[in-house]
């Protein structure tokens, strides 16, 4: 394995996690300015890219061109970049790339479960809770979860969540993301947390995910590395590697 | 004991609860149109008023004028009405009246604890959750809790909860009640629930109250009846009867 | 539709729910002692059995023999009874029977999600919470959930949840159900609640289900009635009718 | 201020916290082997002891003998040591010592609130949740909370929590600490968490504390330092410094 972006916060966690995994061998850890050739010299067959939006595309294309599988946590992959990478992968049969915006297994599972469950309940809302230094509200994860839920409900023909509110203080009922209400709490001491609340007559289902630490991303990165060779071509989202069917 | 408003939803619960209490005797249960004289005829020494805003003042004044203690759950007590009742009680030493907007012990305790705790934490927010047929958001209880918290923090010289949000979807950060953020969730299946979330470096304190059933008001009504004679004069709020000091 | 056991607690809820469903027509509601022939006379094509263990087998066999689909919430179906019913259904192609120990959609979903997710986390435990009049601990649902989790982890080759406890007060770590720790809380005011807690490095996933009211079973009964004709033969468990794959 | 045990995990946090407090000045930070005289040389008027059970008594007595106030987080204070310290303090009027087993404000508040509230509810149980490397179950904090609750209920004449369990898997109902059921969950990813669940007819009150990080102890240490001079003599427990009355 080679880790790119090894000096960053996520990268240094990955160096530690890969180093500690009994079934993996870390052969290269590259920082900003290091030449990609070092990955080949070290004999790596897998690359973990945890760099920056400006360099991730070049890194991943380099890996694919040399037949290396890649697991990518860097953001900045526009639809155009993805299409271009997809075309490149078509020329390199057998090489796999996983690009995942979120490597926390619990978060990916919670979103998938929320979308599945949402068609069976009258009501659904999201409460996300983060530390107070976060600049955007709601979180990107909460917006994506709401979109997944909205799509699942629309496909199943489920109507909007009931709401008799006629008198409200501005903002009390949260933000409206494609018909799903999303509330953002900001609290000192917290890291990153999300609850999807689903309600029907006489019952409630709550799916909560707590991220306490960046360490939460590492099991997902390792799972990606273990599975990427078995998934040639481009996969976007860790859920593509999870066995979620019944 | 005499229950006024005995045919209403709360009143019929009270009839049942007083009837079942081993240390109480229900001697009268009056509905709309029944004469108040029946309370005297039955020899009641305590009155529970669970009627409507239009008749509660007359009922309570009648009780006080006849030396009966009163426990009152009816709304509609303006500052003016309260002042007038206070004056009447001054002429009837030894008679006690408890007027409580909320008889759920857990809710009263949660609000009192929240106010106490809020001066020791950097951050505080409220999430209230109710059934989707509720017409106002946030709930009156949540607004009152926020006001108690705001007053306690102001008195202790605590600054506003930190919040770095610069980019938000409208409503994501909830309603602002005197500087305290309040979020209102509406979900089929729920009854009435509230969480006060307090956060400081590395820790969180959560005070949650769940009201599943109107039965939750009865222990508070019975506690009021047991204590009202020992608290002559006017008491507003059940917390006045609770031993919350340390 | 015909409801059998219409005077019981669940049965009367079902009478109400079927009566209120816009796409269903209630043609018969039978109590103890009523003749099953009334179902045929009324022209019912579907039967809901919410009777007692002693009569459910006869009721369901009667239904199948007359080509009626059946949705069954009564307990008492031993492996022997199920095998015998299965054989009967083989002679009645096109007739469907759903036998479900639990019709609360949220509970069924929570158990299925818990089993799915449990292979991706180091640790998993269950906390179930019920009213204090319950005579058994842990609940049957908690035991079944633990068994599903144990089977899923075993199949995926996941080891036992880590536990360094060397010194404990008896009972502190809960009951051991096939290697999964289960804790049973009993609290006045509660109905039926369950949390499955899953933990990995730096993260937690919580799946919580709250049953506040018997009404929670009705959406599952109605879903069963809408789907049973499309599932000929015997189905045990409502999850067989849910679209849980991805 | 002088910090003793400055190289330990808690001590180094305290060095950072005192250094960052605008109203405090850190004049000495001593590690193992450093002479206590350095505290006097540096002109400290307050000492924070975060050392080890073997040296804390000597450190604190040294401080008191030189008229320095002390805030102590080290364990190992037996009843005998406390009595001896109390006697010493009687000879040094005006000097204050705070010995606190727990400096997390939220935890101290949660325990105090739990004891207060427990006399108003029929049922009370505790669920504590920790990382799986913990060797004892339940936690010391949970045991102390249960004892406080048991004492409060006993004093108020409240009977035991109702429990109809007649059939249980061994351990399902948790450990019995003076009549209060305590359940201990162990889960990878967690730090230290505790819930006190209180239930009455139709309602539940939940008091939850989450400790995510050792940083959670620092606001309590700083509060102790700010208040210790105003509390001459010996105080055991941070709650003695909190304004919890109403």
């Amino acid at each position: 394995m080679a880790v790119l972006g090894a000096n960053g916060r996520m990268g240094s966690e990955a160096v530690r996690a890969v180093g500690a995994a009994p079934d993996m061998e870390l052969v290269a850890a590259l920082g900003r300015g290091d030449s990609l050739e070092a990955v080949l010299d070290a004999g790596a067959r897998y690359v973990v890219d945890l760099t920056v939006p400006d360099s991730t595309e070049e890194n991943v294309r380099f890996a694919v061109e040399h037949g290396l599988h890649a697991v990518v946590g860097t953001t900045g992959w526009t639809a155009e970049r993805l299409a271009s990478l997809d075309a490149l992968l078509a020329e390199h049969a057998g090489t796999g790339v996983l690009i995942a915006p979120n490597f926390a297994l619990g978060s990916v599972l919670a979103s998938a479960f929320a979308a599945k469950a949402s068609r069976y309940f009258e009501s659904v809302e999201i409460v996300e809770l983060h530390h107070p230094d976060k600049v955007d509200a709601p979180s990107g994860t909460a917006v994506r979860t709401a979109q997944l839920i909205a799509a699942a409900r629309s496909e199943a023909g489920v109507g909007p969540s009931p709401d008799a509110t006629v008198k409200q203080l501005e903002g009390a009922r949260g933000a409206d993301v494609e018909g799903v209400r999303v509330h953002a709490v900001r609290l000192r001491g917290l890291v990153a947390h999300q609850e999807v609340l689903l309600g029907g007559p006489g019952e409630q289902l709550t799916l909560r995910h707590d991220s306490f630490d960046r360490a939460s991303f590492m099991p997902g990165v390792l799972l990606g590395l273990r599975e990427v060779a078995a998934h040639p071509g481009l996969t976007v989202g860790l859920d593509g590697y999870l066995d979620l069917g019944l």
Side-chain angles (χ1 to χ4, degrees), chain A:
Chain A
M1 313 283 170
V3 174
L4 311 185
N7 301 325
R9 294 187 304 175
M10 289 288 289
S12 56
E13 285 279 347
V15 165
R16 193 165 22 236
V18 170
D23 58 340
M24 297 186 186
E25 192 189 356
L26 180 72
V27 297
L30 276 63
R32 183 181 294 264
D34 290 340
S35 164
L36 285 171
E37 297 294 333
V39 171
L40 304 179
D41 297 345
R45 292 178 44 228
Y46 297 82
V47 160
V48 182
D49 183 86
L50 297 164
T51 56
V52 292
D54 276 358
S55 57
T56 185
E57 186 178 21
E58 185 190 335
N59 294 344
V60 176
R61 294 186 68 95
F62 177 90
V64 173
E65 281 160 3
H66 291 85
L68 308 185
H69 307 291
V71 169
V72 183
T74 318
T75 57
W77 286 87
T78 59
E80 201 173 282
R81 284 177 169 192
L82 289 171
S84 166
L85 176 63
D86 207 27
L88 181 67
L89 279 160
E91 298 164 19
H92 296 269
T95 301
V97 174
L98 168 66
I99 297 181
N102 188 346
F103 276 105
L105 286 166
S107 176
V108 172
L109 289 167
S111 291
F113 293 159
K116 272 294 150 194
S118 66
R119 58 178 287 190
Y120 296 108
F121 288 87
E122 250 184 275
S123 300
V124 56
E125 301 205 2
I126 297 173
V127 180
E128 57 92 330
L129 312 93
H130 285 80
H131 59 87
D133 302 322
K134 188 168 176 59
V135 295
D136 55 321
S139 69
T141 298
V143 170
R144 274 191 297 275
T145 306
Q147 289 167 339
L148 286 171
I149 287 169
R153 284 168 76 90
S154 164
E155 193 190 317
V158 180
S161 298
D163 183 359
T165 309
V166 292
K167 185 181 134 195
Q168 76 162 309
L169 286 184
E170 197 188 319
R173 291 285 293 114
D176 182 324
V177 177
E178 301 186 16
V180 178
R181 292 283 166 177
V182 182
H183 310 266
V185 172
R186 296 292 171 263
L187 215 66
R188 179 69 69 213
L190 295 186
V191 184
H193 316 259
Q194 182 171 302
E195 284 187 351
V196 179
L197 310 172
L198 301 126
E203 70 168 337
Q204 183 180 13
L205 176 65
T206 305
L207 308 169
R208 179 176 176 118
H209 180 252
D210 295 278
S211 224
F212 300 118
D213 196 295
R214 267 190 302 279
S216 66
F217 297 109
M218 292 309 125
V221 169
L222 298 185
L223 186 148
L225 284 168
R226 290 185 185 112
E227 297 282 331
V228 64
H231 294 79
L234 177 61
T235 305
V236 177
L238 186 61
D239 46 324
Y241 283 22
L242 301 182
D243 172 23
L244 294 175
L246 287 182

